Amino acid sequence: MLNEYVQEGGIDTHTMRDLVASIRVVGTEDFVCEEWVEEPTLLVTRFEYANMFHTVTDWYSAYVSSRVTGLPNRPHVVFIDGHCTTQLEETWTALFSGIRYAKNFSKPVCFRHAVLSPLGYETALVKGLSEEIYCKEESSAQHRSSETSSSSSPLHNVLFVRREDYLAHPRHDGKVQPLRINEEEVFESLHHWVASGSTGLTKCGINLVNGLFAHVSMKDQVRAIQDASVIIGAHGAGLTHIVSATPNTTIFEIKCDWEIGPAELDFSNAAMIGKGSFGEIVKAYWRGTPVAVKRILSSLSGDRLVM
């Protein structure tokens, strides 16, 4: 059934696939139900339980589902994935009238009106984007040459957004996913720089904030972003929080300035170690060194937003 709505090969990237495949029609004699849920309910599969970018996508998908199907303004939600509970659940609770976890059901539960939330990226949030988004980008050297003395604030919060190892999506087979291996070293360098009292730092009033968002509430995460004059973070989903930043906030994105040519990669003994919504992650070799390579799914190779 899903093949009618999802392009060829795309169905394998959606975690809702197994749920739909498990649907069966049974006779009245085989129908067993010990609890009926009368309220309209959204059935949601979260792509990542602790990933802000993917969770924003899930919030949007659930909201669109409630609007399109005419559900009450704040319907109930049941998570049908096996993910853990995190601080991001605070926003789910604020947006919807109730949250339950299917994994905690101890008996057969039936729903009078259940709606399956859209399949991840098959929503207007991603597929409907056609307008170019302007983003002024410059190197750190260019930024230094163009900066001017602006704010007279006695204190500037410099927020370093951390990305910790976490047990993510089931596609990782229960393995902890390491992120940036030298992140602690980078943070300590910044801490030493601020503590050294270098020229101008004391006058400016620099306060370095350790952005360990996994350990604070969602409300405090947003407050930290809004209070920051400067936000530093690694390229990726960890910077999704900057949607809450003020217009004058300066963002420093840490990313590689060099690229490895595809011809330099050895895939002769490649092994797949993970699979995401946009591609698969394989173990390959670069000049004899094992590396992780993310390859875009062939079904998405022509998608401008993905590339």
Side-chain angles (χ1 to χ4, degrees):
M1 179 179 69
L2 291 181
N3 288 326
E4 299 178 13
Y5 304 98
V6 182
Q7 58 186 311
E8 184 178 357
I11 189 174
D12 294 328
T13 69
H14 298 300
T15 54
M16 192 76 79
R17 169 174 167 261
D18 291 337
L19 173 69
V20 176
S22 67
I23 294 176
R24 298 290 184 272
V25 177
V26 298
T28 55
E29 66 281 359
D30 297 321
F31 183 76
V32 178
C33 186
E34 297 186 27
E35 177 187 349
W36 276 99
V37 177
E38 303 293 340
E39 302 86 356
T41 303
L42 286 171
L43 303 183
V44 175
T45 296
R46 294 169 293 172
F47 266 72
E48 301 276 5
Y49 70 95
N51 183 303
M52 182 67 173
F53 174 77
H54 291 288
T55 304
V56 168
T57 303
D58 291 334
W59 288 335
Y60 179 83
S61 298
Y63 172 78
V64 169
S65 298
S66 67
R67 298 298 85 215
V68 170
T69 56
L71 298 186
N73 290 335
R74 300 178 68 243
H76 290 259
V77 170
V78 171
F79 294 135
I80 54 177
D81 53 68
H83 292 323
C84 304
T85 301
T86 70
Q87 285 79 2
L88 294 175
E89 255 74 315
E90 293 179 38
T91 306
W92 282 105
T93 302
L95 292 174
F96 301 95
S97 58
I99 293 177
R100 297 181 67 184
Y101 299 80
K103 67 178 183 180
N104 294 333
F105 291 168
S106 59
K107 55 187 177 182
V109 178
C110 302
F111 300 89
R112 296 289 185 190
H113 186 182
V115 176
L116 297 180
S117 192
L119 302 175
Y121 295 101
E122 302 300 320
T123 67
L125 181 63
V126 175
K127 295 297 182 181
L129 290 177
S130 58
E131 181 180 345
E132 294 289 343
I133 299 176
Y134 173 73
C135 179
K136 181 181 179 182
E137 181 178 353
E138 59 186 9
S139 67
S140 57
Q142 291 172 320
H143 182 77
R144 284 196 299 270
S145 64
S146 62
E147 64 184 1
T148 58
S149 177
S150 53
S151 174
S152 58
S153 173
L155 180 66
H156 295 277
N157 286 330
V158 177
L159 173 65
F160 187 86
V161 178
R162 306 293 293 271
R163 300 189 67 186
E164 300 180 84
D165 298 348
Y166 71 102
L167 194 59
H169 197 277
R171 66 172 178 256
H172 297 143
D173 299 323
K175 299 177 182 178
V176 173
Q177 297 302 295
L179 295 171
R180 195 164 297 277
I181 60 175
N182 66 333
E183 183 180 272
E184 188 65 32
E185 180 183 350
V186 174
F187 177 77
E188 287 302 322
S189 296
L190 287 170
H191 184 268
H192 176 74
W193 171 68
V194 172
S196 66
S198 300
T199 304
L201 290 182
T202 304
K203 180 180 178 181
C204 291
I206 300 296
N207 176 41
L208 181 62
V209 180
N210 191 2
L212 290 169
F213 285 168
H215 305 278
V216 299
S217 67
M218 191 65 200
K219 183 181 294 185
D220 288 338
Q221 293 180 36
V222 173
R223 184 179 294 115
I225 292 292
Q226 293 178 335
D227 291 344
S229 301
V230 177
I231 298 175
I232 304 173
H235 171 79
L239 285 179
T240 306
H241 287 78
I242 64 176
V243 296
S244 302
T246 60
N248 295 326
T249 303
T250 299
I251 311 296
F252 287 100
E253 182 181 29
I254 303 173
K255 60 181 180 180
C256 295
D257 291 330
W258 51 275
E259 297 180 359
I260 296 176
E264 296 185 70
L265 295 171
D266 178 11
F267 291 98
S268 57
N269 294 310
M272 189 167 74
I273 57 179
K275 191 172 185 179
S277 305
F278 295 124
E280 59 183 15
I281 302 174
V282 300
K283 178 182 179 181
Y285 291 86
W286 174 63
R287 299 180 181 178
T289 301
V291 294
V293 180
K294 187 169 185 178
R295 297 193 297 199
I296 302 299
L297 295 174
S298 58
S299 59
L300 299 176
S301 59
D303 192 317
R304 178 180 59 84
L305 292 172
V306 174
M307 301 303 288

mmCIF file of all heavy atoms in Angstrom, residues 47-73:
data_model
loop_
_atom_site.group_PDB
_atom_site.id
_atom_site.type_symbol
_atom_site.label_atom_id
_atom_site.label_comp_id
_atom_site.label_asym_id
_atom_site.label_seq_id
_atom_site.Cartn_x
_atom_site.Cartn_y
_atom_site.Cartn_z
ATOM 1 N N PHE A 47 11.610 9.729 14.811
ATOM 2 C CA PHE A 47 12.819 9.314 14.109
ATOM 3 C C PHE A 47 13.997 9.247 15.072
ATOM 4 O O PHE A 47 14.786 8.317 15.035
ATOM 5 C CB PHE A 47 13.133 10.284 12.962
ATOM 6 C CG PHE A 47 12.565 9.819 11.651
ATOM 7 C CD1 PHE A 47 11.203 9.869 11.423
ATOM 8 C CD2 PHE A 47 13.386 9.327 10.651
ATOM 9 C CE1 PHE A 47 10.672 9.433 10.233
ATOM 10 C CE2 PHE A 47 12.860 8.892 9.454
ATOM 11 C CZ PHE A 47 11.500 8.940 9.239
ATOM 12 N N GLU A 48 14.150 10.248 15.907
ATOM 13 C CA GLU A 48 15.240 10.292 16.882
ATOM 14 C C GLU A 48 14.685 10.872 18.163
ATOM 15 O O GLU A 48 14.105 11.944 18.155
ATOM 16 C CB GLU A 48 16.409 11.165 16.398
ATOM 17 C CG GLU A 48 17.026 10.726 15.084
ATOM 18 C CD GLU A 48 18.071 9.638 15.255
ATOM 19 O OE1 GLU A 48 18.235 9.160 16.398
ATOM 20 O OE2 GLU A 48 18.720 9.270 14.273
ATOM 21 N N TYR A 49 14.879 10.207 19.271
ATOM 22 C CA TYR A 49 14.271 10.687 20.501
ATOM 23 C C TYR A 49 15.016 11.868 21.110
ATOM 24 O O TYR A 49 14.449 12.626 21.896
ATOM 25 C CB TYR A 49 14.199 9.552 21.523
ATOM 26 C CG TYR A 49 15.548 9.109 22.082
ATOM 27 C CD1 TYR A 49 16.013 9.629 23.281
ATOM 28 C CD2 TYR A 49 16.341 8.191 21.407
ATOM 29 C CE1 TYR A 49 17.239 9.241 23.801
ATOM 30 C CE2 TYR A 49 17.555 7.800 21.915
ATOM 31 C CZ TYR A 49 18.005 8.318 23.116
ATOM 32 O OH TYR A 49 19.219 7.938 23.618
ATOM 33 N N ALA A 50 16.302 12.059 20.763
ATOM 34 C CA ALA A 50 17.097 13.124 21.377
ATOM 35 C C ALA A 50 17.700 14.068 20.355
ATOM 36 O O ALA A 50 18.589 14.835 20.667
ATOM 37 C CB ALA A 50 18.205 12.515 22.236
ATOM 38 N N ASN A 51 17.214 14.012 19.124
ATOM 39 C CA ASN A 51 17.760 14.821 18.047
ATOM 40 C C ASN A 51 16.786 15.950 17.732
ATOM 41 O O ASN A 51 15.658 15.710 17.313
ATOM 42 C CB ASN A 51 17.986 13.941 16.808
ATOM 43 C CG ASN A 51 18.631 14.687 15.665
ATOM 44 O OD1 ASN A 51 18.121 15.693 15.205
ATOM 45 N ND2 ASN A 51 19.746 14.178 15.189
ATOM 46 N N MET A 52 17.210 17.180 17.967
ATOM 47 C CA MET A 52 16.324 18.329 17.831
ATOM 48 C C MET A 52 15.792 18.475 16.410
ATOM 49 O O MET A 52 14.605 18.747 16.201
ATOM 50 C CB MET A 52 17.072 19.600 18.252
ATOM 51 C CG MET A 52 16.240 20.868 18.189
ATOM 52 S SD MET A 52 14.900 20.888 19.392
ATOM 53 C CE MET A 52 14.313 22.568 19.167
ATOM 54 N N PHE A 53 16.646 18.280 15.406
ATOM 55 C CA PHE A 53 16.231 18.454 14.015
ATOM 56 C C PHE A 53 15.112 17.480 13.661
ATOM 57 O O PHE A 53 14.072 17.864 13.123
ATOM 58 C CB PHE A 53 17.414 18.271 13.076
ATOM 59 C CG PHE A 53 17.041 18.304 11.616
ATOM 60 C CD1 PHE A 53 16.765 19.512 10.989
ATOM 61 C CD2 PHE A 53 16.944 17.138 10.873
ATOM 62 C CE1 PHE A 53 16.406 19.560 9.644
ATOM 63 C CE2 PHE A 53 16.586 17.172 9.540
ATOM 64 C CZ PHE A 53 16.315 18.378 8.917
ATOM 65 N N HIS A 54 15.324 16.213 13.964
ATOM 66 C CA HIS A 54 14.311 15.207 13.633
ATOM 67 C C HIS A 54 13.042 15.408 14.456
ATOM 68 O O HIS A 54 11.936 15.142 13.973
ATOM 69 C CB HIS A 54 14.871 13.804 13.864
ATOM 70 C CG HIS A 54 15.938 13.417 12.894
ATOM 71 N ND1 HIS A 54 15.660 13.127 11.576
ATOM 72 C CD2 HIS A 54 17.280 13.282 13.039
ATOM 73 C CE1 HIS A 54 16.794 12.831 10.943
ATOM 74 N NE2 HIS A 54 17.780 12.926 11.812
ATOM 75 N N THR A 55 13.185 15.869 15.691
ATOM 76 C CA THR A 55 12.014 16.072 16.541
ATOM 77 C C THR A 55 11.163 17.230 16.039
ATOM 78 O O THR A 55 9.934 17.176 16.109
ATOM 79 C CB THR A 55 12.430 16.306 18.003
ATOM 80 O OG1 THR A 55 13.224 15.195 18.441
ATOM 81 C CG2 THR A 55 11.216 16.418 18.909
ATOM 82 N N VAL A 56 11.804 18.284 15.519
ATOM 83 C CA VAL A 56 11.039 19.379 14.911
ATOM 84 C C VAL A 56 10.206 18.842 13.749
ATOM 85 O O VAL A 56 9.034 19.209 13.565
ATOM 86 C CB VAL A 56 11.975 20.508 14.435
ATOM 87 C CG1 VAL A 56 11.228 21.495 13.541
ATOM 88 C CG2 VAL A 56 12.572 21.246 15.625
ATOM 89 N N THR A 57 10.795 17.954 12.959
ATOM 90 C CA THR A 57 10.068 17.329 11.856
ATOM 91 C C THR A 57 8.873 16.554 12.376
ATOM 92 O O THR A 57 7.772 16.608 11.805
ATOM 93 C CB THR A 57 10.994 16.382 11.076
ATOM 94 O OG1 THR A 57 12.132 17.102 10.611
ATOM 95 C CG2 THR A 57 10.280 15.777 9.879
ATOM 96 N N ASP A 58 9.062 15.816 13.470
ATOM 97 C CA ASP A 58 7.965 15.042 14.045
ATOM 98 C C ASP A 58 6.877 15.943 14.616
ATOM 99 O O ASP A 58 5.681 15.645 14.499
ATOM 100 C CB ASP A 58 8.497 14.121 15.149
ATOM 101 C CG ASP A 58 9.359 12.994 14.600
ATOM 102 O OD1 ASP A 58 9.158 12.624 13.424
ATOM 103 O OD2 ASP A 58 10.222 12.484 15.335
ATOM 104 N N TRP A 59 7.258 17.056 15.248
ATOM 105 C CA TRP A 59 6.264 18.010 15.758
ATOM 106 C C TRP A 59 5.400 18.522 14.614
ATOM 107 O O TRP A 59 4.180 18.577 14.721
ATOM 108 C CB TRP A 59 6.952 19.192 16.439
ATOM 109 C CG TRP A 59 7.580 18.876 17.754
ATOM 110 C CD1 TRP A 59 7.232 17.859 18.605
ATOM 111 C CD2 TRP A 59 8.669 19.565 18.379
ATOM 112 N NE1 TRP A 59 8.040 17.881 19.714
ATOM 113 C CE2 TRP A 59 8.923 18.913 19.608
ATOM 114 C CE3 TRP A 59 9.439 20.663 18.032
ATOM 115 C CZ2 TRP A 59 9.933 19.339 20.478
ATOM 116 C CZ3 TRP A 59 10.436 21.086 18.893
ATOM 117 C CH2 TRP A 59 10.674 20.428 20.113
ATOM 118 N N TYR A 60 6.072 18.892 13.526
ATOM 119 C CA TYR A 60 5.345 19.432 12.374
ATOM 120 C C TYR A 60 4.415 18.379 11.781
ATOM 121 O O TYR A 60 3.252 18.658 11.470
ATOM 122 C CB TYR A 60 6.333 19.923 11.322
ATOM 123 C CG TYR A 60 5.671 20.474 10.074
ATOM 124 C CD1 TYR A 60 5.201 21.787 10.035
ATOM 125 C CD2 TYR A 60 5.507 19.676 8.949
ATOM 126 C CE1 TYR A 60 4.581 22.287 8.903
ATOM 127 C CE2 TYR A 60 4.886 20.168 7.810
ATOM 128 C CZ TYR A 60 4.421 21.477 7.792
ATOM 129 O OH TYR A 60 3.792 21.966 6.671
ATOM 130 N N SER A 61 4.905 17.155 11.627
ATOM 131 C CA SER A 61 4.100 16.079 11.041
ATOM 132 C C SER A 61 2.861 15.809 11.888
ATOM 133 O O SER A 61 1.758 15.626 11.363
ATOM 134 C CB SER A 61 4.935 14.797 10.920
ATOM 135 O OG SER A 61 6.039 14.985 10.074
ATOM 136 N N ALA A 62 3.042 15.780 13.207
ATOM 137 C CA ALA A 62 1.911 15.526 14.099
ATOM 138 C C ALA A 62 0.905 16.671 14.033
ATOM 139 O O ALA A 62 -0.318 16.448 14.025
ATOM 140 C CB ALA A 62 2.406 15.329 15.528
ATOM 141 N N TYR A 63 1.414 17.906 13.981
ATOM 142 C CA TYR A 63 0.519 19.075 13.894
ATOM 143 C C TYR A 63 -0.293 19.033 12.596
ATOM 144 O O TYR A 63 -1.517 19.230 12.614
ATOM 145 C CB TYR A 63 1.322 20.369 13.971
ATOM 146 C CG TYR A 63 0.494 21.604 13.688
ATOM 147 C CD1 TYR A 63 -0.358 22.129 14.665
ATOM 148 C CD2 TYR A 63 0.536 22.225 12.439
ATOM 149 C CE1 TYR A 63 -1.138 23.245 14.406
ATOM 150 C CE2 TYR A 63 -0.240 23.341 12.179
ATOM 151 C CZ TYR A 63 -1.077 23.850 13.160
ATOM 152 O OH TYR A 63 -1.854 24.947 12.890
ATOM 153 N N VAL A 64 0.370 18.775 11.480
ATOM 154 C CA VAL A 64 -0.326 18.722 10.191
ATOM 155 C C VAL A 64 -1.383 17.624 10.214
ATOM 156 O O VAL A 64 -2.504 17.798 9.711
ATOM 157 C CB VAL A 64 0.678 18.493 9.045
ATOM 158 C CG1 VAL A 64 -0.051 18.165 7.744
ATOM 159 C CG2 VAL A 64 1.545 19.733 8.847
ATOM 160 N N SER A 65 -1.056 16.482 10.801
ATOM 161 C CA SER A 65 -2.010 15.377 10.880
ATOM 162 C C SER A 65 -3.277 15.798 11.617
ATOM 163 O O SER A 65 -4.396 15.485 11.202
ATOM 164 C CB SER A 65 -1.381 14.186 11.607
ATOM 165 O OG SER A 65 -0.265 13.702 10.918
ATOM 166 N N SER A 66 -3.105 16.529 12.728
ATOM 167 C CA SER A 66 -4.269 16.954 13.509
ATOM 168 C C SER A 66 -5.108 17.980 12.757
ATOM 169 O O SER A 66 -6.336 18.000 12.881
ATOM 170 C CB SER A 66 -3.815 17.524 14.855
ATOM 171 O OG SER A 66 -3.093 18.734 14.680
ATOM 172 N N ARG A 67 -4.468 18.818 11.958
ATOM 173 C CA ARG A 67 -5.200 19.838 11.204
ATOM 174 C C ARG A 67 -5.934 19.227 10.005
ATOM 175 O O ARG A 67 -7.098 19.540 9.748
ATOM 176 C CB ARG A 67 -4.245 20.928 10.712
ATOM 177 C CG ARG A 67 -3.511 21.716 11.777
ATOM 178 C CD ARG A 67 -4.445 22.502 12.700
ATOM 179 N NE ARG A 67 -4.941 21.679 13.800
ATOM 180 C CZ ARG A 67 -6.132 21.766 14.337
ATOM 181 N NH1 ARG A 67 -7.002 22.628 13.858
ATOM 182 N NH2 ARG A 67 -6.504 20.992 15.326
ATOM 183 N N VAL A 68 -5.242 18.381 9.259
ATOM 184 C CA VAL A 68 -5.826 17.813 8.039
ATOM 185 C C VAL A 68 -7.009 16.911 8.361
ATOM 186 O O VAL A 68 -8.014 16.887 7.638
ATOM 187 C CB VAL A 68 -4.754 17.032 7.252
ATOM 188 C CG1 VAL A 68 -5.385 16.222 6.126
ATOM 189 C CG2 VAL A 68 -3.709 17.987 6.691
ATOM 190 N N THR A 69 -6.921 16.162 9.459
ATOM 191 C CA THR A 69 -7.982 15.219 9.815
ATOM 192 C C THR A 69 -9.045 15.835 10.713
ATOM 193 O O THR A 69 -9.989 15.156 11.117
ATOM 194 C CB THR A 69 -7.379 13.992 10.526
ATOM 195 O OG1 THR A 69 -6.620 14.426 11.669
ATOM 196 C CG2 THR A 69 -6.478 13.222 9.588
ATOM 197 N N GLY A 70 -8.895 17.116 11.035
ATOM 198 C CA GLY A 70 -9.910 17.802 11.813
ATOM 199 C C GLY A 70 -9.985 17.369 13.266
ATOM 200 O O GLY A 70 -11.054 17.436 13.885
ATOM 201 N N LEU A 71 -8.887 16.927 13.826
ATOM 202 C CA LEU A 71 -8.872 16.528 15.229
ATOM 203 C C LEU A 71 -8.957 17.760 16.134
ATOM 204 O O LEU A 71 -8.753 18.881 15.685
ATOM 205 C CB LEU A 71 -7.593 15.755 15.541
ATOM 206 C CG LEU A 71 -7.356 14.441 14.785
ATOM 207 C CD1 LEU A 71 -6.125 13.735 15.329
ATOM 208 C CD2 LEU A 71 -8.567 13.538 14.899
ATOM 209 N N PRO A 72 -9.261 17.562 17.420
ATOM 210 C CA PRO A 72 -9.270 18.701 18.347
ATOM 211 C C PRO A 72 -7.929 19.416 18.318
ATOM 212 O O PRO A 72 -6.918 18.864 17.892
ATOM 213 C CB PRO A 72 -9.527 18.037 19.707
ATOM 214 C CG PRO A 72 -10.243 16.768 19.373
ATOM 215 C CD PRO A 72 -9.658 16.303 18.075
ATOM 216 N N ASN A 73 -7.924 20.656 18.784
ATOM 217 C CA ASN A 73 -6.706 21.464 18.718
ATOM 218 C C ASN A 73 -5.505 20.780 19.356
ATOM 219 O O ASN A 73 -4.388 20.900 18.888
ATOM 220 C CB ASN A 73 -6.950 22.825 19.386
ATOM 221 C CG ASN A 73 -7.887 23.697 18.573
ATOM 222 O OD1 ASN A 73 -7.985 23.520 17.357
ATOM 223 N ND2 ASN A 73 -8.571 24.607 19.220
#
